[in-house]
């Protein structure tokens, strides 16, 4: 069934392991960690929205992984990232969790071939060497 296959990809153990390693190696203690999902806007940029409450002083990634899964289930077609910040010393860290793959259609017309022109600097250099 297609839904089951999608759910298996969504709950990849490798992703959870990476987040666990990230928390253990870098984001423990006084980091504020937010899960954000991107919402496309009319000008083709992303507006980042926070998912639920931020996490503070993480000791392990269990609750963070559960929240990532809930966000991905709620917004399966949106990009998801972790946005972490530390107040002292001021630091910011962004880790991409999910980037949806969009099929871009091929261009309607083939692109024109670039015209080859010799840069003026090279032409002047070659003339100077010849004299």
């Amino acid at each position: 069934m297609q839904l089951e296959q999608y759910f298996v990809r969504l709950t990849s153990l490798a992703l959870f392991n990476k987040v666990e390693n990230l928390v253990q190696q870098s984001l423990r203690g006084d980091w504020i960690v937010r899960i954000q999902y991107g919402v496309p806007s009319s000008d083709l940029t992303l507006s980042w929205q926070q998912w639920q409450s931020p996490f503070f002083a993480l000791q392990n990634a269990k609750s963070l992984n559960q929240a990532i899964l809930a966000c991905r289930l709620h917004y399966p077609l949106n990009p998801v990232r972790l946005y972490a910040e530390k107040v002292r010393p001021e630091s910011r860290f962004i880790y991409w969790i999910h980037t949806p793959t969009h099929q871009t259609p091929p261009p309607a017309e083939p692109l024109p071939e670039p015209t080859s022109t010799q840069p003026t600097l090279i032409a002047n250099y070659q003339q100077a060497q010849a004299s």
Side-chain angles (χ1 to χ4, degrees), residues 2 23 26 74 100:
Q2 187 177 3
V23 168
S26 303
H74 212 60

Side-chain angles (χ1 to χ4, degrees), residues 10-25:
L10 187 67
T11 59
S12 168
L13 183 59
L15 170 68
F16 291 152
N17 287 340
K18 286 180 184 178
V19 171
E20 178 71 37
N21 288 339
L22 185 65
V23 168
Q24 291 301 323
Q25 295 173 5

Side-chain angles (χ1 to χ4, degrees), residues 7-55:
F7 188 73
V8 168
R9 284 196 315 261
L10 187 67
T11 59
S12 168
L13 183 59
L15 170 68
F16 291 152
N17 287 340
K18 286 180 184 178
V19 171
E20 178 71 37
N21 288 339
L22 185 65
V23 168
Q24 291 301 323
Q25 295 173 5
S26 303
L27 301 178
R28 290 176 61 176
D30 55 350
W31 283 88
I32 301 167
V33 181
R34 293 177 173 86
I35 299 171
Q36 297 178 332
Y37 59 93
V39 178
S41 62
S42 59
D43 61 351
L44 301 177
T45 59
L46 286 175
S47 170
W48 292 99
Q49 306 295 318
Q50 182 172 304
W51 172 257
Q52 297 181 343
S53 302
F55 294 85

Side-chain angles (χ1 to χ4, degrees), residues 37-89:
Y37 59 93
V39 178
S41 62
S42 59
D43 61 351
L44 301 177
T45 59
L46 286 175
S47 170
W48 292 99
Q49 306 295 318
Q50 182 172 304
W51 172 257
Q52 297 181 343
S53 302
F55 294 85
F56 182 72
L58 287 170
Q59 295 304 313
N60 62 47
K62 184 177 179 181
S63 58
L64 183 61
N65 278 331
Q66 289 173 348
I68 289 169
L69 178 60
C71 181
R72 287 285 320 277
L73 286 171
H74 212 60
Y75 298 100
L77 302 177
N78 296 54
V80 177
R81 70 183 187 181
L82 293 181
Y83 182 87
E85 60 186 330
K86 192 175 192 178
V87 179
R88 288 193 183 95

